[in-house]
């Protein structure tokens, strides 16, 4: 079978259909308590509320709180958590505000960048993190995790 010259080869372009994380929905047991926590403690902007839910936002991200009687107000045993970004200059004040409000911590920081791991009123595991993927990868290049591979050529 003959091979076509490059000019005649069919080019297949892979289109990335997903463009980002749109929103996060968290089941809550007490809507008013959760709205207060996310609005007052974490300073998300309250956009809308209704009998069984609320929308709050940060630049480029929105959060839905959904009243759910099936939600158990206890943290899951696994490492699943949701991380929010903040500036290094704001980190100490943010942590102090949460500690002053007796927000429960669930883990000590073990990775690059300043991080504070805490629970919301329904036991959702959250993190406030200074840094981004680029800073994490740079730290990992200096001290890679066991078996770590990097895919720079994609």
């Amino acid at each position: 079978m003959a091979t076509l010259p490059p000019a005649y080869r069919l080019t297949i372009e892979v289109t990335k259909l997903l463009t980002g994380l749109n929103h996060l929905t968290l089941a809550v047991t007490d809507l008013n308590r959760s709205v207060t926590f996310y609005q007052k403690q974490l300073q998300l902007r309250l956009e809308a509320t209704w009998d069984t839910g609320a929308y709050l936002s940060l630049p480029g991200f929105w959060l839905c709180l959904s009243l759910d009687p099936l939600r158990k107000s206890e943290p899951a045993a696994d490492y699943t958590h949701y991380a929010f970004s903040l500036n290094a200059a704001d980190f100490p004040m943010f942590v102090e505000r949460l500690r002053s409000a007796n927000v429960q911590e669930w883990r000590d920081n073990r990775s690059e960048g300043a991080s504070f791991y805490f629970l919301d009123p329904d036991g959702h595991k959250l993190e406030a993190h200074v840094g981004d993927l680029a800073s994490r990868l740079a730290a990992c290049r200096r001290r890679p995790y066991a078996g770590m591979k990097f895919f720079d050529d994609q």
Side-chain angles (χ1 to χ4, degrees), residues 139-151:
C140 288
R141 287 182 193 290
R142 289 188 298 275
R143 296 187 68 198
Y145 307 145
M148 189 168 210
K149 296 175 187 169
F150 297 93
F151 299 93

Side-chain angles (χ1 to χ4, degrees), residues 37-44 84 94 98 118 126:
F37 176 81
Y38 282 93
Q39 184 182 24
K40 302 298 183 195
Q41 296 299 330
L42 304 190
Q43 298 183 328
L44 275 71
F84 295 96
F94 179 85
L98 293 186
F118 59 99
L126 305 175

